[in-house]
Amino acid sequence: MSTTTRTVDVVVIGAGQAGLSTAYHLRRRGFIPDGEAHASDRSFVVLDANSAPGGAWQHRWASLRMATVNGIHELPGFDVPAADPTARARDVLPAYFADYEREFGLGVRRPVAVTAVRREADGLRVETDAGAWRARFVVSATGTWTRPFWPHYPGQERFRGRQLHTADYVSAEEFAGRRVLVVGAGVSGVQLLDEISHVATVFWMTRREPVWIESDFDVPARVAAIAGVEDRVRRGLPPGSVISVTGMHWTPWARAARERGVLERLPMMAGIEEDGVRMPDGTLLEVDAILWATGFRPALEHLAPLRLRTPDGGFRVDDSRSLDEPRLFFVGYGPSASTVGANRAGRSVAARIVKELAPDAPASSPARRVGAGA
């Protein structure tokens, strides 16, 4: 491990949608990646634990196609290229992210794993497996993909079949001819239920009875959902699941599953046994595999030294800024967890950092792409 300590104005942790959006807006406001910056420049660095561009998209299951991706939104200043609807998302979108990094010269450093963020007298110290960076501000944009949530049920370790999480899923073909239990009411759970049902016998289990919303998830509904999440994180509560604030809307795959009669919800199991799950009425539901589509948690272990987590398990955040450590920003957390929200938060955070570092700085000029004229 390197013992070098570098100094920059801003460290951005993570190069997914949230991190790249923030870096783009810093770049267009005159900040220079640390490998290119001179002593007089405002500088930033983006640290990414992945070995290649693409954020979580490069890890998505192989059968996820561009036609069925939920919630794509372009990175700021660069359209998503036209793609064959049948193309794999994990091929198209990482390539798009790579082009974006080159186009705007964001200088992402990878693979660099951040291990801790600590306070210093004049800023924050970001420790990694490639040395340390000292910064005036840190933007945590680490997403959730690396923290899949596995609930625990009695007897789980006794199950002789296969257990996997959404993060481990590859394709339906590996379950052909099997009996598969899908646990979870989120978008991914229903999408995979529909997909697997074409080749296997499927069962669907959720903690609560789903409440389906017939109306479209329109702008007023989105605003209301975001406001609810904003209130939670401001009070230091965990952001909560998407379904808990948006309700369940009829996606194309949900409708397809309903039409084929596989969208039949079962109550939650009482326990797990060697050959299946024990139902609340005492019957045994025999299954060969359990797919836990139970969501993810924010990947924020690197912030532990700052001691910001509340007794409720969240972080007190208002408008993407920590209320307990003002040098720290969260992008892609809580209300900015969507791709659209991450873009907006990245712009807002960059603007506030610029204002605080140089209150009298002139208005920003348009973004300059690498290789483009001034």
Side-chain angles (χ1 to χ4, degrees):
M1 173 178 170
S2 172
T3 58
T4 302
T5 299
R6 306 167 182 84
T7 299
V8 294
D9 290 294
V10 186
V11 170
V12 179
I13 306 172
Q17 184 103 14
L20 293 185
S21 172
T22 305
Y24 165 85
H25 287 292
L26 288 170
R27 188 79 155 109
R28 77 184 300 270
R29 286 166 171 78
F31 284 66
I32 307 299
D34 68 330
E36 308 169 22
H38 300 291
S40 59
D41 291 327
R42 290 297 187 193
S43 61
F44 73 95
V45 64
V46 182
L47 307 176
D48 187 42
N50 286 295
S51 60
W57 291 113
Q58 62 194 292
H59 307 299
R60 302 281 182 170
W61 53 93
S63 58
L64 183 64
R65 307 293 171 174
M66 291 299 290
T68 55
V69 170
N70 183 59
I72 287 182
H73 193 272
E74 69 274 1
L75 288 157
F78 201 58
D79 292 339
V80 177
D84 182 344
T86 65
R88 300 193 304 183
R90 73 179 191 182
D91 293 334
V92 174
L93 295 174
Y96 165 64
F97 276 48
D99 289 344
Y100 189 84
E101 292 179 16
R102 286 192 295 269
E103 186 79 5
F104 294 105
L106 301 182
V108 178
R109 292 178 179 260
R110 61 168 60 89
V112 177
V114 174
T115 55
V117 178
R118 305 182 191 277
R119 291 185 180 88
E120 291 191 339
D122 57 349
L124 295 172
R125 178 182 175 85
V126 179
E127 298 175 356
T128 81
D129 60 359
W133 277 264
R134 182 177 294 112
R136 298 279 297 277
F137 297 98
V138 169
V139 179
S140 188
T142 44
T144 63
W145 185 260
T146 59
R147 282 203 66 205
F149 173 64
W150 290 72
H152 180 75
Y153 283 87
Q156 198 161 357
E157 67 285 350
R158 298 164 52 195
F159 184 59
R160 290 189 292 219
R162 182 185 177 191
Q163 294 188 65
L164 71 160
H165 191 275
T166 307
D168 308 308
Y169 181 82
V170 177
S171 69
E173 282 64 35
E174 57 188 325
F175 302 105
R178 315 292 280 178
R179 292 167 61 87
V180 182
L181 172 62
V182 178
V183 182
V187 172
S188 293
V190 176
Q191 187 172 4
L192 296 183
L193 175 81
D194 173 55
E195 184 172 303
I196 296 170
S197 69
H198 289 277
V199 299
T201 301
V202 295
F203 306 93
W204 183 42
M205 191 172 284
T206 67
R207 284 194 300 124
R208 290 183 292 269
E209 183 73 41
V211 178
W212 294 94
I213 299 174
E214 294 292 341
S215 60
D216 292 334
F217 192 39
D218 55 12
V219 172
R222 292 176 189 273
V223 170
I226 291 171
V229 178
E230 286 177 338
D231 178 65
R232 288 184 62 84
V233 299
R234 193 179 299 115
R235 291 186 288 139
L237 299 172
S241 69
V242 174
I243 294 300
S244 68
V245 294
T246 65
M248 296 184 65
H249 291 260
W250 286 106
T251 58
W253 43 90
R255 295 184 189 278
R258 181 180 61 176
E259 289 172 5
R260 288 202 318 281
V262 298
L263 196 65
E264 297 293 333
R265 179 258 180 185
L266 296 174
M268 208 63 200
M269 68 192 80
I272 303 177
E273 301 181 12
E274 289 86 349
D275 300 316
V277 299
R278 186 65 61 179
M279 300 300 291
D281 64 3
T283 60
L284 179 68
L285 176 64
E286 294 185 0
V287 295
D288 302 301
I290 302 174
L291 172 57
W292 297 97
T294 44
F296 299 78
R297 298 292 183 266
L300 298 172
E301 298 89 343
H302 54 286
L303 302 180
L306 300 177
R307 302 178 67 84
L308 299 175
R309 196 178 293 275
T310 69
D312 294 308
F315 294 81
R316 297 199 322 128
V317 178
D318 186 22
D319 196 16
S320 299
R321 190 172 208 161
S322 169
L323 291 173
D324 300 305
E325 174 46 79
R327 296 169 293 188
L328 174 67
F329 292 89
F330 294 79
V331 179
Y333 175 78
S336 64
S338 69
T339 52
V340 176
N343 284 1
R344 292 173 178 166
R347 180 177 64 244
S348 173
V349 166
R352 276 180 288 166
I353 289 174
V354 168
K355 183 176 181 180
E356 294 191 24
L357 288 178
D360 299 323
S364 61
S365 58
R368 180 179 66 83
R369 297 183 179 182
V370 173

